[in-house]
Amino acid sequence: MTTKVRTTGYEETKQGIDDSLKRFNHDYFDLILIHWPMEDDFGTYRALEEAYQEGKTRAISLSNFNAAQVQAIIDNFTVAPALDQIETHLLWQQKKMHAYLTSKGIAHESYSPLGEGQPEFLENPTLVEMAKLYKVTPAQLTLRFMDQENIIVIPKTLDPKQMAENLDLFNFTITEKDMKILESLDEKKPLDG
């Protein structure tokens, strides 16, 4: 089980972790992330590091932290973050951040890998035509692309059919040539940008 802390500072975060464990009736979380950089990330991360050392979580991580913010955490703490969860999709592939995270041994996890259903994502003509060639959906092709780039994806859907499709990614491999074509779709553009 994964949870995020939306707090700023040591005491509030420490209390929030304990409250969440009680609310979910668990002894530990598999993963706790800082939801967003705030005013006192060091205090918040210190509470996460202590929770890790006390066995209240198996891993601690970040979300929406840039390279300088991640580096500050690495430089000031003993336990490195397991991953950084950042907006990543075909239109914003986060190549520089991916290279940085990889160099630090930190996993890159994508949120909004399918662009939150915005038409310019899954209706992109290049993506649609390539998906037909692979006999998969544009969503499956997108998720497989990210998987082949060593990016963890967490697509969001409530539709059971789409959930099954999103998990059915490993019976095909995108060729190197087609990976380059998909890489060329990168506009370095966030959803709200």
Side-chain angles (χ1 to χ4, degrees):
M1 182 168 10
T2 298
T3 191
K4 289 185 177 180
V5 292
R6 296 176 186 248
T7 59
T8 179
Y10 175 80
E11 290 297 335
E12 191 177 334
T13 302
K14 193 168 177 64
Q15 186 63 52
I17 292 168
D18 289 341
D19 291 347
S20 291
L21 287 169
K22 284 179 192 167
R23 189 170 43 254
F24 288 104
N25 196 27
H26 276 70
D27 296 328
Y28 68 91
F29 287 107
D30 294 305
L31 176 66
I32 302 176
L33 299 95
I34 297 178
H35 186 257
W36 197 270
M38 299 285 278
E39 295 167 13
D40 185 9
D41 295 327
F42 283 6
T44 300
Y45 200 83
R46 182 167 57 103
L48 265 62
E49 188 173 60
E50 284 181 13
Y52 173 80
Q53 292 164 341
E54 294 167 0
K56 294 178 182 179
T57 184
R58 292 186 174 171
I60 55 178
S61 296
L62 308 170
S63 184
N64 298 299
F65 278 59
N66 64 33
Q69 293 163 329
V70 173
Q71 191 62 52
I73 295 293
I74 292 169
D75 291 345
N76 287 281
F77 292 91
T78 306
V79 180
L83 62 85
D84 190 12
Q85 183 186 91
I86 55 177
E87 180 184 339
T88 310
H89 42 71
L90 283 177
L91 298 184
W92 197 20
Q93 296 177 23
Q94 299 270 20
K95 294 287 187 186
K96 278 178 64 176
M97 191 63 183
H98 181 76
Y100 167 77
L101 292 171
T102 301
S103 76
K104 300 297 179 182
I106 299 171
H108 175 180
E109 183 175 76
S110 162
Y111 69 81
S112 300
L114 301 177
E116 295 183 353
Q118 294 185 17
E120 66 266 26
F121 285 79
L122 298 180
E123 295 172 15
N124 176 291
T126 302
L127 181 64
V128 169
E129 286 305 309
M130 192 179 290
K132 286 179 188 173
L133 291 173
Y134 284 90
K135 296 180 175 63
V136 296
T137 67
Q140 287 173 310
L141 188 66
T142 299
L143 296 173
R144 183 64 173 146
F145 167 78
M146 295 181 123
D147 177 68
Q148 285 184 218
E149 290 284 291
N150 295 315
I151 298 170
I152 300 165
V153 292
I154 49 170
K156 180 180 176 183
T157 184
L158 297 175
D159 182 323
K161 181 178 180 250
Q162 288 178 344
M163 285 180 201
E165 286 175 355
N166 290 347
L167 291 170
D168 187 21
L169 304 177
F170 305 106
N171 59 355
F172 72 100
T173 301
I174 303 171
T175 67
E176 191 173 326
K177 176 182 165 230
D178 289 342
M179 288 291 287
K180 294 285 184 208
I181 292 169
L182 293 172
E183 285 176 15
S184 75
L185 299 178
D186 190 359
E187 298 175 6
K188 298 172 179 55
K189 177 181 160 188
L191 291 172
D192 62 5

